[in-house]
Amino acid sequence: MELSVVVSTLNDREQLLSCLDALHDATPSSTEVVVVNGPSSDGTTGMVRDREDVDVLVEISERNPNVSRNAGLSVATGDVVAFLGGEYAVEPGWYAAVERAIHDGADVVTGPITGEDRFDAGDPSTPRTIAGREVTLFDGDNVAFDRTVLEALDGFDEYLEGDGARDCAHRVARLGFDVDWAMEMAARREVGTDGGKTEPDWGVTYRALGYRLAKNYGPRPTVFARTVGSAIRDGAVSVRGIVSGEATPTDWLSNGTDVVANAAAGLRDGVRARYSDRSARRNPNGLSVRHDRAVRVYDRR
């Protein structure tokens, strides 16, 4: 297995140190490591350039994680490409789990991230059925692909500011590729966290939800029902926050307005995207669309 690992980072210098150290210890020296940085202002560039175990450093100007992943993919050369968040450190059995799954025929393999909640509900290793299609979710900060899968997908959809991996999971399922869940392919958040939970950006979340459902399944009743149902559930949780004193009615109304406006915009843009790319990959904003992501590339290969 010729493995490339694309590590995306943004102002996470201390966490990135732990991430790269763990990769160095857990993977063979033949592993190609690509760091995509940007736009960081914490000295990440100098630190990465001083390390001999990083093969390529790509500097970008956008904060979109899907742009970062595509920028790394564009310079990676391995026949297996893994994506790892720069704030996570892989466990010692990570490489062996990837190698075993790929050897056994997996198209995509993913594993758990410990130290924080990464999925909103349910077991991510259990497929979900959406419009008759079984979809296995995976985390974009800890996943490896056979390169042929990424070529078929044309990478990640850069319209999305977040949840690009969820959109990718729907497209993986549509193309008939298998996703393998390996508990041994674990990564952990090791430093730089206080154990708190970041309040979600409801506008970004619901724009992404509306977009990926409409793009992947079309304007069908199931899409609208899932979007509305999700909004009702999240609204109910927020009401409990008002009752407990953790939120205010003003916040609830403001969040609700953001949800409605962005869900509608996402549904609209998703329908447009669906008909602008009628191919099975459903990716009008993918890797092949542009070639100007990198501001600068430091390549020591």
Side-chain angles (χ1 to χ4, degrees):
M1 179 178 72
E2 296 180 3
L3 176 66
S4 296
V5 183
V6 175
V7 181
S8 295
T9 186
L10 175 62
N11 290 324
D12 286 320
R13 184 178 183 276
E14 296 305 315
Q15 293 96 323
L16 180 62
L17 278 168
S18 295
C19 173
L20 295 176
D21 287 344
L23 269 179
H24 181 270
D25 294 339
T27 61
S29 59
S30 60
T31 302
E32 180 181 68
V33 178
V34 177
V35 174
V36 184
N37 174 45
S40 295
S41 57
D42 61 352
T44 293
T45 299
M47 182 274 288
V48 173
R49 293 191 67 190
D50 286 341
R51 295 185 65 109
E52 295 186 357
D53 55 353
V54 175
D55 298 284
V56 187
L57 169 63
V58 182
E59 301 277 351
I60 62 174
S61 61
E62 297 171 64
R63 293 175 176 267
N64 186 325
N66 300 305
V67 173
S68 177
R69 291 167 185 146
N70 281 346
L73 173 59
S74 69
V75 299
T77 62
D79 54 22
V80 177
V81 182
F83 296 92
L84 184 66
E87 64 268 41
Y88 304 108
V90 299
E91 298 287 4
W94 185 88
Y95 178 87
V98 174
E99 185 176 45
R100 183 167 53 252
I102 295 296
H103 180 267
D104 290 344
D107 300 308
V108 183
V109 56
T110 188
I113 291 180
T114 61
E116 60 183 18
D117 294 331
R118 300 290 294 178
F119 286 91
D120 54 5
D123 181 356
S125 65
T126 302
R128 305 178 180 190
T129 301
I130 303 173
R133 184 186 305 168
E134 281 198 351
V135 179
T136 300
L137 298 179
F138 49 79
D139 198 309
D141 286 329
N142 185 29
V143 62
F145 296 80
D146 185 287
R147 190 178 194 93
T148 58
V149 177
L150 290 167
E151 291 172 352
L153 294 167
D154 198 24
F156 294 83
D157 189 328
E158 296 179 8
Y159 170 91
L160 295 159
E161 294 180 33
D163 287 345
R166 285 177 176 252
D167 170 72
C168 191
H170 289 277
R171 296 188 292 117
V172 164
R174 175 181 173 81
L175 289 169
F177 294 116
D178 294 324
V179 179
D180 188 40
W181 176 268
M183 287 299 297
E184 298 85 359
M185 187 184 164
R188 67 188 183 278
R189 176 181 278 271
E190 194 167 39
V191 296
T193 180
D194 59 4
K197 191 173 183 179
T198 304
E199 181 68 21
D201 185 326
W202 293 113
V204 171
T205 297
Y206 274 87
R207 181 179 286 262
L209 175 63
Y211 176 82
R212 71 172 179 267
L213 289 178
K215 183 186 72 167
N216 288 297
Y217 301 99
R220 62 176 69 192
T222 302
V223 167
F224 297 107
R226 292 186 72 92
T227 304
V228 172
S230 181
I232 291 172
R233 288 192 297 272
D234 287 332
V237 171
S238 298
V239 168
R240 290 198 293 270
I242 294 174
V243 174
S244 66
E246 297 176 359
T248 66
T250 302
D251 291 336
W252 183 86
L253 181 60
S254 176
N255 286 336
T257 302
D258 284 345
V259 165
V260 172
N262 281 280
L267 289 166
R268 177 200 65 210
D269 293 344
V271 171
R272 290 175 177 172
R274 181 175 179 83
Y275 293 107
S276 66
D277 183 357
R278 296 172 182 263
S279 69
R281 70 187 184 187
R282 297 290 185 198
N283 192 4
N285 308 287
L287 176 66
S288 64
V289 173
R290 50 182 292 212
H291 304 282
D292 61 348
R293 299 176 185 88
V295 174
R296 191 163 186 179
V297 178
Y298 302 94
D299 192 338
R300 64 169 71 237
R301 292 173 296 188

